[in-house]
Amino acid sequence: MTLPPDLQHTIMVPTSLPDEGPLLSADHDPIIHLRSAGVSLIVDLRPDVPVVLHWGADLGPVSGSALEVLAKTGGTAQLHSAPDAPRAFSLLPTEYEGWSGVPAISGHRAGTATTPRPKTVSATLEEAGRGGGQIVVHLLDDLSRLAIQLTIGLSEHGLVEVQTTVTAEAATGEAPYDLTGVVAVLPVPARATDVLDLTGKWSRERSPQRGQVRDGQHARQVRRGKPGADSPYLLSVGTPAFASRSGEIWSMHVAWSGDQQWFVERLPEGAGAFSAVLGGGELLRPGEVRLRAGESYESPRVAFAWSDEGLDGIADRFHAQLRSDHPRSTPQPLLLNTWEAVYFEHDLGRLTELVDKAAEIGVERVVLDDGWFRGRRDDRAGLGDWQIDEHVWPDGLAPLVDHVRRRGMTFGLWVEPEMVNLDSALAREHPDWILGPSAGLGGSSRHQYVLDIAKPSAFDYLVASISSIVIRYSIDFLKWDHNRELHEPVHRSPDGDRPGTRDQTLAFYALLDEIQRRCPGLEIESCSSGGGRVDLAVLEHTDRVWTSDCNDPVERQSIQRWTEVLVPPEYIGSHVGPPRSHTTNRVSDTPFRLLTTLFGSAGVEWDLTRCTPDEIEQLSRWAASYKEFRGLVQSGRRVHADLADEQTLLHGSVATDGSRALFCWARLGSSAAAQAGRVPFPGLDSRRDYEVRLREDAGPASPHQLAGPAWFEATREHPVVVPGVVLTTVGVTLPTLNPGQALLLEVTAVS
Ligand code: DGJ
């Protein structure tokens, strides 16, 4: 971004803290206070490397001498058996500063220059940068001859974003600098005692795992060449027992779709005036980044969020930021995906019938999934041959696409461009395009291998073949899949095999961008064996994510709850499947399956031609309610009640002005308690009155009781007015449902 000159100030800073006396003497205040959306970030530029004095609650318009006092009152004690000067903890921590934890920058030059000592040479404050201001610090390290640019921004929605660029300043002929790690680190206080991150597997992505912050590291390394089903996703530390609606929380997300590292680290001596650090960045393989004179490495953006309103407060910041950085076409169309209806059995007649049923219930977009291209009769062959299979589609896709359009819907297509089956013309013609060591390829996964898309010839082939199909049929939407991990992801080259995950990740982004440049208006969904590639960087290049192959609503409620801790509902694909789930084999009631999708970007993945007339009727009513509520859900705030009984859920979407909301009351399994008691509704305005109305459009929920509560039964007949303070603070009684049941409550402000 180019800023007007009056918004840029170059601050020349002294190279070190004075030993004693007043800490401040400069024309420009060298302690920078950025404020935005209830967050303060205060950075002291006077030490050799900038130091964070505060990251958390907005301190108000404090400046000048108050900031000096803030700095002075954060001085640390002289410890026994410790460095003779108190240890510092900077934004680029090093052993030189006495930091014995993970260093911000690590590497070597042919085995030397392993102890970096960066020093600030200048800093620029862009007051309008990222909404809340941005500090760009230039540092030089004479020892390793690296120039480092550290950019710390506070976004308009209160996210702290850190990006680091490292440039080698080597003399010609000198060995390159082998960069082995660059991480962004921010300190967190001692009251952040609990840690939470996510893990998971295929069909159960984003499972929460909790623990205590302890001395040492809670560290996650992602070596799958993608975030994976077990992505750490959002690493949070917070006050004891922090929850959806309570607690002070500091969270971090590494916005990158390749290998990554994430950690919480605590040393007994602390981190300056703080207790522990949150750190993250790209995980670099040995030899992956070798910087020759003048070459640079640009780290991914690492986003940090603070909130004292629990995880919902953290999610609010990420949702608002993504919505303003990369707004999606809203409302999101109701979609039908053919996968669970026909799998690989593509047949124009059958698909036409499916399209007709889709149009009948109110679907707005049809997506033809895997199986349309040459040789693709199952998952053993065809990947890489992005030409329409003339045996299955003798007249091309036109008869289907035209039919979809005639029925007033848009058309989408499945692709998996980064992958190849050995049984394909592409693999036979270009075996050298497959990523893997010269000693021979390792094992296949889902019978497939990875294309080395950083090779210009492979990249160009993919751009040409995919975009020509998109252009030929004016395709509106691509479901972009990625069904295996990257193992031994090395480029074969005459100089030997070189690590290729970073190149592959950058080429993936470039491929998405180039295809979208050639096909304006094309929307893309990021899928990876379900939800294995969901991160904020992929969402800079795509439009929504496929959340999971699991449509079982019991599982899906949890998968969506934890996906939306970072990503807002309109980016989260959520489809209704048939009664028996193809991933868990569980049979669930249709209303529960249907209403689970309303809190995302909804769709159908079910053979509608086999549905009963009652089911088609239910689906039509559900489609109408999706259209009624999507404006609210896809722009509102997601809220989640903290309930003692883990088998019950109350979550909702509340309009940002508090005027309207849609809540889901769900029971996953049975529990010992017969009654839930009063349940407070989160996120509403306690000063207003609300009408509460039961919405059974998709069908009734089955109760685990004879009747009641009476007030609730009344909402079947007419809306019941409840003061906001009762709803939010005291709560209202709700029925006990049978396991695997849910109902919807519409809440509308009347005052
Ligand atoms: C994995 C995806 O997650 C599924 O939705 C489906 O598109 C299959 N791939 C197709 O092969």
Side-chain angles (χ1 to χ4, degrees):
M1 179 192 331
T2 313
L3 291 160
D6 57 325
L7 288 181
Q8 299 187 5
H9 313 288
T10 296
I11 301 168
M12 298 312 295
V13 293
T15 52
S16 61
L17 274 170
D19 289 332
E20 52 191 31
L23 292 178
L24 187 70
S25 62
D27 290 347
H28 294 288
D29 193 341
I31 305 182
I32 307 294
H33 184 182
L34 304 182
R35 297 176 62 209
S36 172
V39 174
S40 279
L41 175 72
I42 303 179
V43 179
D44 190 347
L45 294 176
R46 294 168 303 178
D48 283 351
V49 181
V51 165
V52 171
L53 298 180
H54 171 74
W55 164 41
D58 185 5
L59 302 189
V62 292
S63 58
S65 57
L67 293 179
E68 282 183 61
V69 174
L70 176 74
K72 277 184 173 170
T73 53
T76 56
Q78 180 63 41
L79 303 178
H80 287 295
S81 189
D84 292 328
R87 301 172 203 251
F89 179 79
S90 72
L91 273 161
L92 288 176
T94 57
E95 288 183 29
Y96 180 56
E97 297 169 348
W99 173 242
S100 299
V102 175
I105 294 178
S106 48
H108 64 95
R109 202 182 283 281
T112 69
T114 56
T115 53
R117 289 185 178 183
K119 274 191 177 167
T120 304
V121 289
S122 71
T124 305
L125 172 65
E126 297 168 355
E127 283 171 4
R130 285 306 273 155
Q134 181 162 285
I135 309 165
V136 182
V137 186
H138 294 276
L139 305 103
L140 279 178
D141 174 11
D142 291 339
L143 248 159
S144 55
R145 285 177 309 293
L146 294 178
I148 300 154
Q149 179 180 303
L150 183 65
T151 305
I152 312 128
L154 182 64
S155 76
E156 63 193 301
H157 298 290
L159 296 184
V160 176
E161 297 167 322
V162 181
Q163 194 276 328
T164 312
T165 299
V166 177
T167 305
E169 302 240 300
T172 321
E174 204 175 5
Y177 186 85
D178 274 297
L179 194 65
T180 55
V182 175
V183 289
V185 281
L186 283 189
V188 292
R191 61 186 181 277
T193 56
D194 289 15
V195 58
L196 166 78
D197 66 354
L198 287 305
T199 180
K201 60 178 169 121
W202 173 75
S203 192
R204 185 60 196 241
E205 297 85 344
R206 288 167 285 288
S207 282
Q209 55 179 6
R210 284 192 85 124
Q212 297 289 302
V213 177
R214 295 181 191 281
D215 286 356
Q217 289 183 18
H218 169 73
R220 304 284 306 275
Q221 293 199 337
V222 176
R223 293 174 179 272
R224 303 183 191 281
K226 61 177 180 177
D230 64 337
S231 163
Y233 195 64
L234 185 76
L235 174 58
S236 301
V237 293
T239 46
F242 70 82
S244 293
R245 304 295 302 172
S246 66
E248 191 180 7
I249 303 176
W250 294 258
S251 300
M252 180 190 80
H253 173 77
V254 178
W256 185 243
S257 314
D259 288 350
Q260 306 152 16
Q261 49 178 327
W262 307 57
F263 58 89
V264 183
E265 183 167 36
R266 191 176 79 182
L267 299 179
E269 66 268 27
F274 297 86
S275 167
V277 304
L278 276 179
E282 182 180 3
L283 182 107
L284 299 175
R285 306 285 177 115
E288 185 155 24
V289 176
R290 314 194 78 197
L291 299 176
R292 288 173 188 78
E295 288 181 348
S296 295
Y297 165 81
E298 282 183 30
S299 80
R301 177 172 62 100
V302 183
F304 297 85
W306 168 87
S307 173
D308 59 0
E309 295 179 346
L311 288 164
D312 283 353
I314 295 284
D316 272 349
R317 296 196 184 284
F318 281 111
H319 291 189
Q321 197 62 52
L322 191 58
R323 281 170 171 166
S324 56
D325 283 351
H326 193 195
R328 298 284 24 97
S329 62
T330 47
Q332 285 286 303
L334 185 66
L335 182 152
L336 173 124
N337 178 294
T338 60
W339 181 240
E340 284 190 52
V342 300
Y343 295 101
F344 289 107
E345 287 166 35
H346 285 200
D347 171 82
L348 180 59
R350 195 168 160 200
L351 286 164
T352 306
E353 227 188 304
L354 185 65
V355 166
D356 287 341
K357 284 284 176 199
E360 190 184 323
I361 66 166
V363 163
E364 297 161 308
R365 170 170 291 167
V366 171
V367 180
L368 182 66
D369 209 281
D370 197 355
W372 57 268
F373 47 96
R374 247 179 229 160
R376 188 66 168 175
R377 301 285 57 81
D378 56 31
D379 61 7
R380 293 176 173 267
L383 281 178
D385 296 347
W386 301 110
Q387 295 83 34
I388 290 149
D389 192 312
E390 37 295 89
H391 297 295
V392 182
W393 297 98
D395 300 314
L397 295 179
L400 181 70
V401 178
D402 292 348
H403 190 72
V404 168
R405 293 243 157 78
R406 272 196 301 274
R407 302 302 310 253
M409 297 177 284
T410 59
F411 184 78
L413 193 64
W414 179 96
V415 290
E416 193 177 3
E418 297 143 272
M419 299 290 161
V420 62
N421 288 120
L422 293 187
D423 187 359
S424 66
L426 188 82
R428 284 186 281 274
E429 277 164 36
H430 299 285
D432 54 314
W433 286 4
I434 304 177
L435 195 64
S438 42
L441 295 175
S444 58
S445 184
R446 207 194 188 206
H447 317 293
Q448 66 195 54
Y449 287 89
V450 184
L451 276 183
D452 187 347
I453 61 169
K455 263 188 194 296
S457 44
F459 183 92
D460 292 347
Y461 162 74
L462 291 173
V463 169
S465 53
I466 304 282
S467 43
S468 79
I469 287 182
V470 173
I471 291 166
R472 178 159 11 132
Y473 295 110
S474 305
I475 287 171
D476 303 282
F477 175 90
L478 288 180
K479 175 179 177 184
W480 186 297
D481 211 339
H482 181 279
N483 280 297
R484 68 159 289 169
E485 297 170 14
L486 273 58
H487 289 143
E488 301 184 313
V490 293
H491 305 295
R492 289 189 293 278
S493 82
D495 308 332
D497 297 346
R498 299 289 323 283
T501 311
R502 174 172 173 77
D503 293 345
Q504 187 79 2
T505 310
L506 292 170
F508 163 57
Y509 297 147
L511 193 55
L512 290 165
D513 293 350
E514 181 55 21
I515 290 173
Q516 287 174 101
R517 192 187 66 76
R518 291 184 185 207
C519 311
L522 175 70
E523 290 179 48
I524 300 182
E525 171 177 56
S526 169
C527 169
S528 182
S529 268
R533 191 152 64 180
V534 183
D535 63 81
L536 293 183
V538 87
L539 280 169
E540 285 169 22
H541 305 269
T542 59
D543 302 272
R544 74 169 212 167
V545 297
W546 180 227
T547 318
S548 177
D549 281 349
C550 185
N551 288 337
D552 172 340
V554 174
E555 308 289 317
R556 190 72 182 208
Q557 284 281 337
S558 170
I559 296 167
Q560 287 180 194
R561 188 273 166 271
W562 291 105
T563 303
E564 68 199 23
V565 77
L566 183 73
V567 174
E570 63 272 28
Y571 301 77
I572 296 179
S574 181
H575 298 174
V576 59
R580 184 179 294 278
S581 160
H582 74 153
T583 57
T584 64
N585 210 35
R586 182 170 19 217
V587 173
S588 55
D589 271 7
T590 300
F592 187 25
R593 299 204 313 287
L594 288 171
L595 63 82
T596 296
T597 68
L598 295 181
F599 295 89
S601 173
V604 187
E605 208 150 325
W606 183 0
D607 186 353
L608 298 176
T609 63
R610 296 187 184 186
C611 287
T612 64
D614 279 355
E615 284 170 334
I616 292 291
E617 171 59 26
Q618 264 177 314
L619 281 158
S620 307
R621 280 189 271 116
W622 158 79
S625 23
Y626 173 64
K627 290 171 192 172
E628 180 183 347
F629 287 111
R630 64 185 166 185
L632 165 68
V633 172
Q634 297 175 8
S635 66
R637 301 170 65 195
R638 292 289 287 133
V639 297
H640 305 83
D642 292 310
L643 305 178
D645 180 354
E646 288 188 347
Q647 296 302 329
T648 56
L649 303 174
L650 177 72
H651 62 84
S653 288
V654 182
T656 48
D657 65 0
S659 61
R660 211 178 151 219
L662 183 70
F663 281 93
C664 170
W665 170 242
R667 173 163 284 282
L668 306 180
S670 64
S671 34
Q675 309 232 27
R678 284 184 180 268
V679 182
F681 278 49
L684 298 171
D685 186 342
S686 59
R687 294 157 303 182
R688 298 172 91 159
D689 293 334
Y690 289 94
E691 269 183 7
V692 180
R693 199 152 73 98
L694 177 66
R695 293 291 303 253
E696 293 189 307
D697 311 37
S702 143
H704 192 65
Q705 52 191 27
L706 290 175
W711 86 270
F712 169 81
E713 296 294 351
T715 64
R716 289 180 199 283
E717 308 301 327
H718 54 81
V720 173
V721 175
V722 185
V725 71
V726 172
L727 273 175
T728 59
T729 310
V730 187
V732 290
T733 51
L734 291 172
T736 302
L737 300 178
N738 272 325
Q741 298 290 323
L743 54 82
L744 284 178
L745 289 165
E746 183 185 5
V747 178
T748 313
V750 289
S751 71

